[in-house]
Amino acid sequence: MEDKIRKIFEERFGGKGAVYASAGRINLIGEHTDYNEGYVFPGAIDKVIMAEIRPNGTDKVRLFSIDINEYVEFGLKEEDAPKEGWARYVFGVCREILKRGFEVHGFDAVFAGNVPLGAGLSSSAALESCFAFALNDLFNQNKIPQFELALIGQSTEHNYCGVNCGIMDQFASVCGKKGNLMRLDCRSLEYEYFPFNPQGYKLVLVDSRVKHELKDSPYNKRRESCERVASRLGLPSLREATMEMLEAAKADISEEDYKRARFVIGEKQRVLDVCDALEKGDYETVGKKMYETHHGLSKDYEVSCEELDFLNDVAKEEGVTGSRIMGGGFGGCTINLVKDSLHDKFVKEVTEKFAAKYGHEPKIYDVVISDGARKVSE
Ligand code: GLA
């Protein structure tokens, strides 16, 4: 990918810039907990967005996306926002850096990626993090703290892309470390690295290829439900909520909001249980919790779809240790914890059964936990 980017940059702009990358992410457990100030447990993966960037001495950004095959130019003032959705991610990152009192000047950039789009692997966070990291290096002598880079990506989603997301994706993309998952407390923003090398198991993603776009999905509505329940309970977020509190307030909460909150309260605890189980090497418990999460996301949070429920059922039939929807939902992937000895058979069966039912094969990715945002070369 780097060679291709360098070649196209040379053709378009002449000469060369520095190359940066940032990663997509998986999340072992802790879904829809980030914006409820709970815990998440993600890691960066070996699928990236990569960009070659060079300051151009003007106040214009000149940007070429290889994958979309589109060129866009924009200025750095608020009113210069481009109309192309993909370019707004980069524009938003520039604006959010400027709003925080740091520097961004004009630059030329060419980028490409291999994070599958709409699969729940956070291609947009990878794009934001790649540019946030690069612009920090090129214009700010890396003075912006790492976590702030993640917040810059998150504000980009809120203010320029219409998704009221939590911090998980951008955090994982920026802070990811090879071989490690990270448990982030989304209230204190403290995090811990957990070496992740499950002996005898593999993490496998099965991509339904049902497209999900959080912007047009009820993602923002889910968040509103949670905020309504928290405020009904007199709490700043669902972080402090317990099942007892929820039961006590049940009569004053809509059936729908009640189910959303029930999922979130259960999920908060599952992240902690999974961390404990992992430290003991107890993968059976990890897997059991993953199935519980799927059930909750499907029945209470209602962010699943027929195809994802089918993938989960097949995993169960095949004796897979753990399986669940990953990411925001409404399509995308399941994440599966599969014994090495079952891996090949599971991949074969799930591919065949899914294709027989839905007329197209799912995509399968073995997960490799990798580094997050970084400079690739000068
Ligand atoms: C999307 C959002 C994240 C998080 C997940 C669900 O990926 O961007 O902030 O809320 O959904 O866990």
Side-chain angles (χ1 to χ4, degrees):
M1 189 185 328
E2 188 184 348
D3 290 348
K4 188 168 169 195
I5 293 173
R6 286 215 173 271
K7 181 163 170 282
I8 294 177
F9 188 97
E10 161 90 54
E11 283 165 12
R12 228 164 227 284
F13 301 117
K16 59 198 283 242
V19 174
Y20 299 86
S22 198
R25 63 103 188 87
I26 54 117
N27 184 28
L28 188 61
I29 199 148
E31 225 60 90
H32 292 275
T33 43
D34 56 357
Y35 52 83
N36 286 299
E37 301 198 330
Y39 300 95
V40 291
F41 202 25
I45 56 173
D46 63 338
K47 307 215 175 308
V48 297
I49 300 282
M50 194 180 274
E52 180 167 0
I53 308 183
R54 185 183 56 196
N56 61 20
T58 75
D59 56 1
K60 287 261 176 315
V61 173
R62 306 193 296 172
L63 197 60
F64 182 68
S65 160
I66 296 179
D67 303 326
I68 301 176
N69 192 24
E70 246 176 32
Y71 173 79
V72 168
E73 248 183 63
F74 55 79
L76 290 164
K77 300 209 186 72
E78 197 61 31
E79 60 270 24
D80 297 329
K83 59 177 188 332
E84 293 79 359
W86 63 270
R88 293 179 70 87
Y89 291 105
V90 179
F91 176 75
V93 167
C94 297
R95 288 297 308 156
E96 291 296 333
I97 293 177
L98 289 166
K99 281 185 207 169
R100 285 162 172 78
F102 294 102
E103 307 258 324
V104 179
H105 304 284
F107 59 86
D108 298 337
V110 168
F111 73 93
N114 58 7
V115 189
L117 298 181
L121 299 176
S122 298
S123 51
S124 58
L127 177 58
E128 290 148 7
S129 306
C130 177
F131 277 86
F133 186 91
L135 300 179
N136 191 26
D137 188 46
L138 289 168
F139 296 118
N140 298 285
Q141 297 88 47
N142 291 302
K143 277 190 301 234
I144 310 177
Q146 217 186 17
F147 207 96
E148 193 64 33
L149 297 178
L151 293 167
I152 285 168
Q154 184 195 24
S155 306
T156 298
E157 294 279 350
H158 292 184
N159 299 329
Y160 299 93
C161 310
V163 180
N164 218 354
C165 65
I167 188 64
M168 169 168 77
D169 304 348
Q170 292 77 11
F171 158 73
S173 184
V174 172
C175 301
K177 191 156 103 183
K178 195 172 174 186
N180 286 264
L181 296 181
M182 299 166 286
R183 184 176 71 192
L184 171 70
D185 177 337
C186 299
R187 181 167 60 183
S188 67
L189 302 184
E190 278 166 8
Y191 59 96
E192 235 181 297
Y193 286 100
F194 276 68
F196 184 73
N197 180 22
Q199 296 296 327
Y201 292 84
K202 282 193 174 59
L203 275 183
V204 181
L205 301 176
V206 182
D207 181 359
S208 64
R209 293 164 62 199
V210 176
K211 283 282 173 218
H212 91 162
E213 271 277 356
L214 292 185
K215 187 165 177 270
D216 301 316
S217 77
Y219 178 92
N220 294 345
K221 290 236 154 42
R222 296 294 181 280
R223 185 172 182 157
E224 286 160 20
S225 280
C226 296
E227 287 168 358
R228 254 194 315 271
V229 177
S231 113
R232 173 65 198 77
L233 298 178
L235 300 170
S237 70
L238 287 182
R239 168 62 173 262
E240 292 83 4
T242 61
M243 288 294 183
E244 292 72 33
M245 290 161 133
L246 183 65
E247 288 306 323
K250 193 171 177 189
D252 304 334
I253 298 174
S254 73
E255 170 71 18
E256 192 176 279
D257 286 359
Y258 168 82
K259 287 200 291 182
R260 308 297 188 242
R262 180 165 67 184
F263 167 75
V264 170
I265 295 170
E267 185 72 354
K268 250 183 347 184
Q269 186 56 42
R270 278 190 288 274
V271 181
L272 302 178
D273 294 346
V274 160
C275 291
D276 285 350
L278 268 186
E279 279 176 334
K280 295 187 201 124
D282 175 3
Y283 295 108
E284 289 304 316
T285 300
V286 174
K288 192 167 152 269
K289 297 287 161 191
M290 291 169 75
Y291 279 112
E292 283 174 24
T293 294
H294 185 90
H295 186 266
L297 285 170
S298 176
K299 303 289 179 268
D300 276 355
Y301 221 62
E302 297 183 270
V303 294
S304 188
C305 59
E306 195 194 309
E307 291 87 345
L308 290 170
D309 287 345
F310 181 78
L311 289 176
N312 190 259
D313 289 343
V314 174
K316 222 176 276 167
E317 281 159 30
E318 292 299 318
V320 167
T321 307
S323 176
R324 66 177 196 81
I325 306 168
M326 193 183 71
F330 311 104
C333 288
T334 59
I335 180 167
N336 301 271
L337 180 65
V338 190
K339 282 208 179 96
D340 285 342
S341 56
L342 283 181
H343 175 269
D344 294 355
K345 178 160 180 290
F346 169 60
V347 168
K348 179 170 176 289
E349 293 293 328
V350 80
T351 304
E352 287 176 6
K353 287 183 178 165
F354 190 89
K357 189 156 167 93
Y358 295 107
H360 68 267
E361 290 191 353
K363 284 207 171 124
I364 309 285
Y365 311 109
D366 283 337
V367 173
V368 181
I369 308 289
S370 308
D371 286 326
R374 59 197 182 266
K375 187 174 205 167
V376 175
S377 59
E378 286 296 339

